């Protein structure tokens, strides 16, 4: 999804998959990604919110993209 800020929303679109996807990233790869579900967003637009910050290194970002810790 386009975003005017540093926050990168990734559409999941299924409330039954959004939180489990977040949990899997944390358990398997030690990467925390915030799940956003209804009522914060309309049903069917559930998403993961990636929020890079100054404490994230280029290596952290590359690990997220590669799916590795």
């Amino acid at each position: 999804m386009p975003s005017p800020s540093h926050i990168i929303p990734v559409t999941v679109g299924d409330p039954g998959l959004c939180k489990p996807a977040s949990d899997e990233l944390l358990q398997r790869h030690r990467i925390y990604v915030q799940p956003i579900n209804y009522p914060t967003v309309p049903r069917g637009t559930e998403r993961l919110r990636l929020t890079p910050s100054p404490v994230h290194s280029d290596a952290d970002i590359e690990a997220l993209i590669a799916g590795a810790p």
Side-chain angles (χ1 to χ4, degrees), residues 27-69:
Q27 291 171 5
R28 187 178 284 198
H29 302 289
R30 297 175 35 156
I31 297 171
Y32 176 71
V33 177
Q34 184 178 15
I36 308 297
N37 288 305
Y38 175 85
T40 304
V41 296
R43 293 179 207 264
T45 66
E46 294 80 10
R47 62 199 71 176
L48 298 173
R49 180 181 288 165
L50 302 162
T51 311
S53 74
V55 300
H56 291 102
S57 67
D58 289 345
D60 292 331
I61 294 168
E62 290 298 323
L64 172 66
I65 293 167

Side-chain angles (χ1 to χ4, degrees), residues 1-23:
M1 296 177 65
S3 177
S5 74
H6 69 288
I7 297 170
I8 304 163
V10 177
T11 302
V12 176
D14 183 329
L17 297 177
C18 196
K19 177 73 164 90
S22 174
D23 292 344

